[in-house]
Amino acid sequence: MFALLRAAALIALLPVLAGAETIRVASFNVGLGRDGPGLMLRDIAGGKDAQVAAVVQVIAQTAPDILALQSVDWDHDGAGLNALAAALKDAGAEYPHRFAARPNSGLATDLDLDGDGRLGGPDDAQGYGDFTGQKGMAVLSRYPIRTDAIRDLSPLLWRDRPGALLPVHPDGRPFPSAAAQAVQRLSYTAHWVVPVALPGPRDLTLLTFYASPPVFDGPEKRNARRNHDEIALWLALLDGALGAVPENVVLAGGANLDPFDSDGRRDAIRRLLDDPRLQDPGPASPGAALAGDQGHVGPDAMDTVDWPKVGRLRVDYVLPGSDWRVVDAGVFWPAPGEPGHDTALAASRHRLVWVDLAPDIDRPAPPR
């Protein structure tokens, strides 16, 4: 098994050739969010930041065609993302098409959203953040993004999600207040539906998000409930509860939840992984498999993050729709001593997750 995992890791080092039949879709929490606005841009543009260099190397080596990024600071003019794209181009990984919109993280409100009795804290923003756009999201693509057809679900109020698990006080009153719930958005960071124009008759529709941590909670379990509902929003979308059901989907992003070993409400991520409209390719890596037994229920080889004290978990996902043929999948986490191992650890606590896809040739392409 370890030999197969090592082979998968080496495959991940090879760029996908132009015109190849497969499309590589990846998700990567790069951990480039900084403590103040403009600092990520400074670190990227300066050309001397070791973490930035490692992130660029991981992306260049794995060469995704379409890449969902988490934990990248957003700015109004896109300067930070453009600087990252320029660094990637210098490394041989060119992404002429990219998308980022203002996330909910750091989007200030004038209410006490976390119930601590104070105003103006990072947890009183729509999503945790010290400034607007901190630890946001972005999409990089080799193929054109149909920006005019993007659906941004981020403004959706939490209370408007079908079946919302809103937090309450012990006496049943809305937590922290009815006024807070009247403005509280569901998305901790963002939920985007992003059509990408592929060569040939099909588009790929990327479903991407970066969910709330399900911990750091009081007895009302606000964060655990929100995380659950953020994950379950994709099921509502596929059910048609949010309007038109997208075609040829690939869900790629950060759920912040392991289906077996995370604290939190794990039923939503399990339902997502088991949904027949999606596929779980079970991407794995030799680095995770050889990192040591933690006594977890879930398979160690499929872990995608290594948090201090918490340990290794599977929290990052690429789940293709059932109308795609999965050719290969993996997590970029080479074994100790293998090429790229140290780079993967230096880049981020998270690892890049990738899946190679081909259209199901037995299924006719939808009309365009």
Side-chain angles (χ1 to χ4, degrees):
M1 176 180 177
F2 291 159
L4 292 174
L5 291 171
R6 288 192 180 94
L10 292 174
I11 290 171
L13 297 174
L14 301 176
V16 178
L17 298 178
E21 294 181 356
T22 59
I23 304 295
R24 176 164 291 185
V25 183
S27 181
F28 190 18
N29 185 322
V30 290
L32 289 177
R34 297 299 191 248
D35 292 335
L39 298 184
M40 185 188 82
L41 172 61
R42 177 204 63 186
D43 290 346
I44 296 172
K48 297 181 179 179
D49 188 280
Q51 187 212 352
V52 171
V55 166
V56 168
Q57 187 175 349
V58 167
I59 296 172
Q61 287 182 329
T62 53
D65 293 295
I66 301 168
L67 175 59
L69 295 175
Q70 303 89 45
S71 197
V72 287
D73 292 339
W74 174 88
D75 64 85
H76 183 270
D77 296 324
L81 182 60
N82 289 340
L84 179 60
L88 287 166
K89 183 177 180 180
D90 289 343
E94 188 167 2
Y95 293 98
H97 309 284
R98 35 197 184 268
F99 172 77
R102 184 179 68 178
N104 288 337
S105 51
L107 184 58
T109 73
D110 58 359
L111 294 172
D112 176 13
L113 295 190
D114 63 348
D116 67 356
R118 298 187 296 271
L119 300 178
D123 241 338
D124 295 321
Q126 289 288 2
Y128 186 95
D130 288 306
F131 60 91
T132 300
Q134 187 178 29
K135 297 184 180 179
M137 301 178 359
V139 177
L140 301 177
S141 177
R142 301 185 192 276
Y143 304 110
I145 296 172
R146 299 189 184 278
T147 53
D148 59 339
I150 290 173
R151 294 172 62 188
D152 186 355
L153 305 177
S154 311
L156 178 73
L157 295 182
W158 186 357
R159 68 181 185 181
D160 290 339
R161 190 199 80 81
L165 297 178
L166 293 169
V168 296
H169 290 281
D171 62 4
R173 289 179 296 113
F175 179 91
S177 67
Q181 289 193 3
V183 303
Q184 176 68 77
R185 297 180 177 189
L186 172 60
S187 299
Y188 181 78
T189 311
H191 283 77
W192 298 335
V193 180
V194 183
V196 179
L198 301 181
R202 295 178 182 270
D203 284 354
L204 179 150
T205 305
L206 183 73
L207 311 180
T208 188
F209 75 133
Y210 181 19
S212 169
V215 291
F216 314 119
D217 258 336
E220 80 291 336
K221 299 297 181 183
R222 171 179 177 252
N223 295 337
R225 289 169 177 265
R226 188 178 188 181
N227 174 274
H228 173 280
D229 282 1
E230 288 183 271
I231 295 168
L233 185 66
W234 296 124
L235 295 169
L237 178 72
L238 295 176
D239 288 342
L242 301 172
V245 178
E247 299 276 352
N248 301 321
V249 301
V250 179
L251 194 158
N256 249 323
L257 194 70
D258 185 292
F260 299 104
D261 298 297
S262 282
D263 292 332
R265 305 177 70 105
R266 297 189 295 269
D267 57 303
I269 190 65
R270 289 178 177 175
R271 284 189 287 122
L272 197 69
L273 292 171
D274 292 340
D275 194 290
R277 295 166 295 189
L278 299 171
Q279 304 176 67
D280 179 11
S285 73
L290 297 172
D293 181 42
Q294 303 175 104
H296 283 177
V297 175
D300 291 332
M302 292 171 64
D303 290 338
T304 67
V305 69
D306 190 358
W307 278 313
K309 298 181 181 180
V310 174
R312 302 182 306 279
L313 294 168
R314 184 190 186 192
V315 299
D316 307 279
Y317 298 89
V318 179
L319 305 176
S322 58
D323 49 356
W324 293 97
R325 178 163 53 88
V326 175
V327 178
D328 204 354
V331 177
F332 185 75
W333 193 344
E338 296 287 345
H341 173 80
D342 292 342
T343 304
L345 271 59
S348 174
R349 292 172 179 170
H350 295 255
R351 310 292 178 249
L352 183 146
V353 182
W354 57 271
V355 175
D356 289 346
L357 303 171
D360 186 340
I361 58 175
D362 297 326
R363 181 186 175 100
R368 294 176 62 173

